Amino acid sequence: RGGYNLQEKLGWSPLEYEEICNFVTHLTNEYLKVDKMWRRQVKCSLIVVYAEAKKRYPILRDYEGDWAVGDMLHIYLKNSSSCSA
């Protein structure tokens, strides 16, 4: 999104980025419909994903408007919904 590398933008180590992305992916598979794009998700389910991610990884609270988790979700859902189409 926006033509940038999310890991570089966040300034996290590759290990930290992968660990958090894997957890967000786990939450996505548990709470969201992976065959649908982000904008077609149920809002209360998205709120649960954001809250659970921030509870497990407090560093995510530093990103106003949950944009870091939002970008992870956009990337994963875009890829997974296009694979199911």
Side-chain angles (χ1 to χ4, degrees), residues 10-22:
L10 295 168
W12 299 346
S13 71
L15 183 62
E16 184 176 32
Y17 179 78
E18 184 178 342
E19 181 180 327
I20 294 173
C21 277
N22 286 340

Side-chain angles (χ1 to χ4, degrees), residues 35 80-85:
D35 60 335
S80 63
S81 67
S82 65
C83 289
S84 65

Side-chain angles (χ1 to χ4, degrees), residues 12 15-32 48-60 69 72-73 76:
W12 299 346
L15 183 62
E16 184 176 32
Y17 179 78
E18 184 178 342
E19 181 180 327
I20 294 173
C21 277
N22 286 340
F23 186 67
V24 170
T25 297
H26 164 75
L27 293 173
T28 302
N29 287 318
E30 186 171 340
Y31 293 104
L32 304 178
V48 170
V49 171
Y50 291 129
E52 290 296 314
K54 290 186 289 189
K55 184 163 73 172
R56 175 87 172 257
Y57 295 100
I59 191 172
L60 294 170
V69 175
M72 290 176 197
L73 289 173
Y76 182 72

